[in-house]
Amino acid sequence: MKTTEQHSNVVVRYIFLTIGAISFFLGTAGIVLPVLPTVPFYMLTLFCLARGSERFHRMFLESSLYQKTVGTYERDKALTLRTKLSILTSVTAIMMIGAYFSRNISIALIIMSIVWIAHIIALAFIVKTKK
């Protein structure tokens, strides 16, 4: 029984590591491609690596990519105005592309509108602005 449980744990760890690696590459691609959001993919990477490998988790937390994107907010609990505008610009571009391709699907447009407005509210009123 114990060997089956250990085998299962190893499989689950490898699944988390695989998902973590994929989300890391997508998040890194999101740095240069405005269509891919960086922070959500890095948060997924962090979650998966924390469950897959303590060593990879620690390495990711110490990486410059993480520190530049998520680490700053995590440390200061605030974003610069430039970062906020960058986030809002990329979210708006993504939403516009999505709205264009789903212009005949009312529910999709409503959901995207709600998500876009939520971003504006969060960036304007919830997330503090760092000088």
Side-chain angles (χ1 to χ4, degrees), residues 112-126:
M112 282 189 280
S113 298
I114 291 169
V115 170
W116 185 70
I117 291 168
H119 274 84
I120 291 172
I121 291 169
L123 291 172
F125 301 109
I126 297 171

Side-chain angles (χ1 to χ4, degrees), residues 3-111:
T3 58
T4 304
E5 188 176 310
Q6 287 174 338
H7 177 69
S8 173
N9 288 341
V10 170
V11 170
V12 170
R13 283 185 53 204
Y14 281 118
I15 289 171
F16 275 121
L17 289 173
T18 302
I19 294 170
I22 292 167
S23 63
F24 173 76
F25 288 115
L26 290 172
T28 302
I31 292 172
V32 294
L33 299 172
V35 178
L36 292 174
T38 301
V39 173
F41 282 121
Y42 276 0
M43 296 304 286
L44 178 61
T45 300
L46 189 61
F47 174 82
C48 291
L49 292 182
R51 276 137 186 89
S53 167
E54 181 60 36
R55 189 180 95 215
F56 285 138
H57 176 71
R58 196 171 40 257
M59 283 173 46
F60 182 67
L61 286 175
E62 295 169 358
S63 73
S64 64
L65 291 172
Y66 177 81
Q67 291 300 321
K68 289 178 185 175
T69 55
V70 181
T72 303
Y73 176 75
E74 186 178 60
R75 183 178 53 253
D76 301 333
K77 302 296 184 229
L79 296 172
T80 63
L81 181 60
R82 180 179 179 160
T83 302
K84 284 183 172 187
L85 291 174
S86 173
I87 291 169
L88 192 56
T89 301
S90 63
V91 166
T92 301
I94 291 167
M95 295 295 174
M96 288 175 67
I97 293 167
Y100 175 77
F101 285 110
S102 59
R103 62 187 174 269
N104 297 326
I105 307 169
S106 300
I107 191 71
L109 294 172
I110 291 168
I111 291 170

